[in-house]
Amino acid sequence: MKTRPITRQQLVAHTLDGTTRMVPDDITIDVPVPPRDWDQIGINVVTGIVALALLGCVGFSTASIGDLLARVTPAAAAYGAAALFDLVWIGCTIIEWLGRYTPDRVFKARIGGYLGLTVAMGAVAAHGWLAGNAATGLVGAAVSGLAKGLWAVLLDYQAVPLTKRDAAFFAQELSESAVELARVPVRRRVTRARALVEAERRALDAERGSANPDQSEQPADNPAPGPQPTLAGPMTIKDAVRTALDSGIRDPERVLNYVRNVADANAREDTVARYMRLVG
């Protein structure tokens, strides 16, 4: 078994002048080396070949289709548009790769990739035919086909088929996570809307001269019966109690609410009750 040395730190006892302390010290140990994963190495090699094939494909197609389009358009625009021919089917293939565990969701990407590839190969072949060398056009078109074919083989190898139950399980997992993600902007919009409604309400209340027009703190749909005292500005608790009683309010809770609104927000219930007995 092959091994390789590695350096680690451990605490060791070290004594000086009769005092022992645990201090870090470096030690070298041999650990076994796992065998080479030739399967993974092979996948990495094929992935590298696919990447090189895509680069060559994009370069050749862009040059060929760009030269074709440059006959009727400026060169910069022609070559910029030519790059899209291969980038379209490459983008569709990447989406197909991302959805390899949910094949039902990538059907459009798969069809779009092959359609984009067909258009790109046709444009390259047309360039060779117009240039007077049909064979060169066909061989150039085959470059894109070979790159796409190699990538398709790699995708089929990596995308292990799932059973119907496994696919349904993953679909539910993705659905639940999508709902959780969708709740974030929805909550944000709801919160913003409620904040705007509250701001509008406060602004309208301020225009009417009161941030809380219902001074009795009673629900708007169930106003308390009986007369309401007139606000006369700042006053003492005793004056507030007298004003409430003079207005015909006898309910201790309503008197307390009035005192807290116009005199002292922290007025105690027993204090208000005492003044009610005194004034009444």
Side-chain angles (χ1 to χ4, degrees):
M1 179 183 295
K2 293 184 178 180
T3 61
R4 60 185 177 89
I6 62 172
T7 301
R8 291 181 176 176
Q9 278 193 345
Q10 68 176 5
L11 295 178
V12 298
H14 185 65
T15 303
L16 285 177
D17 298 331
T19 302
T20 301
R21 296 185 182 278
M22 302 299 292
V23 297
D25 189 22
D26 293 335
I27 60 171
T28 301
I29 60 175
D30 292 329
V31 297
V33 178
R36 290 184 180 274
D37 187 353
W38 292 106
D39 291 344
Q40 186 60 43
I41 292 175
I43 291 295
N44 293 339
V45 171
V46 173
T47 303
I49 294 174
V50 170
L52 292 176
L54 289 177
L55 290 176
C57 169
V58 172
F60 183 85
S61 297
T62 301
S64 178
I65 301 174
D67 183 65
L68 175 65
L69 297 178
R71 301 180 182 212
V72 293
T73 58
Y79 284 95
L84 294 177
F85 280 78
D86 274 341
L87 293 180
V88 167
W89 68 261
I90 290 175
C92 290
T93 308
I94 291 176
I95 295 176
E96 187 179 352
W97 161 262
L98 296 175
R100 61 190 181 278
Y101 297 124
T102 53
D104 294 340
R105 300 181 59 194
V106 296
F107 177 76
K108 293 181 180 179
R110 184 180 299 110
I111 299 301
Y114 283 108
L115 289 178
L117 174 65
T118 302
V119 173
M121 293 177 65
V124 174
H127 174 260
W129 180 70
L130 292 176
N133 195 335
T136 301
L138 293 176
V139 173
V143 172
S144 296
L146 290 173
K148 170 65 174 178
L150 183 58
W151 199 345
V153 171
L154 180 61
L155 280 177
D156 290 339
Y157 178 80
Q158 291 283 60
V160 179
L162 300 174
T163 64
K164 293 182 62 175
R165 292 186 177 184
D166 291 337
F169 178 86
F170 289 143
Q172 292 182 14
E173 289 281 306
L174 290 174
S175 177
E176 292 177 0
S177 62
V179 170
E180 294 177 1
L181 184 61
R183 284 176 179 171
V184 176
V186 170
R187 287 198 191 103
R188 188 183 299 119
R189 293 180 61 181
V190 170
T191 302
R192 186 182 297 114
R194 289 175 176 172
L196 291 175
V197 171
E198 179 65 17
E200 179 73 10
R201 187 189 66 79
R202 290 178 178 272
L204 293 176
D205 289 345
E207 290 180 0
R208 289 196 296 264
S210 173
N212 183 15
D214 189 5
Q215 295 293 339
S216 63
E217 296 186 0
Q218 297 292 334
D221 57 349
N222 187 23
Q228 298 294 325
T230 302
L231 297 180
M235 60 182 68
T236 64
I237 295 178
K238 183 177 181 180
D239 292 336
V241 171
R242 180 181 291 108
T243 301
L245 295 178
D246 292 341
S247 299
I249 298 177
R250 299 298 176 182
D251 181 60
E253 184 175 356
R254 292 187 60 201
V255 173
L256 178 63
N257 289 334
Y258 176 74
V259 171
R260 288 179 175 176
N261 283 331
V262 302
D264 187 356
N266 298 317
R268 295 175 55 181
E269 184 176 358
D270 56 344
T271 302
V272 174
R274 185 172 65 255
Y275 279 123
M276 288 183 65
R277 292 192 298 270
L278 179 63
V279 175

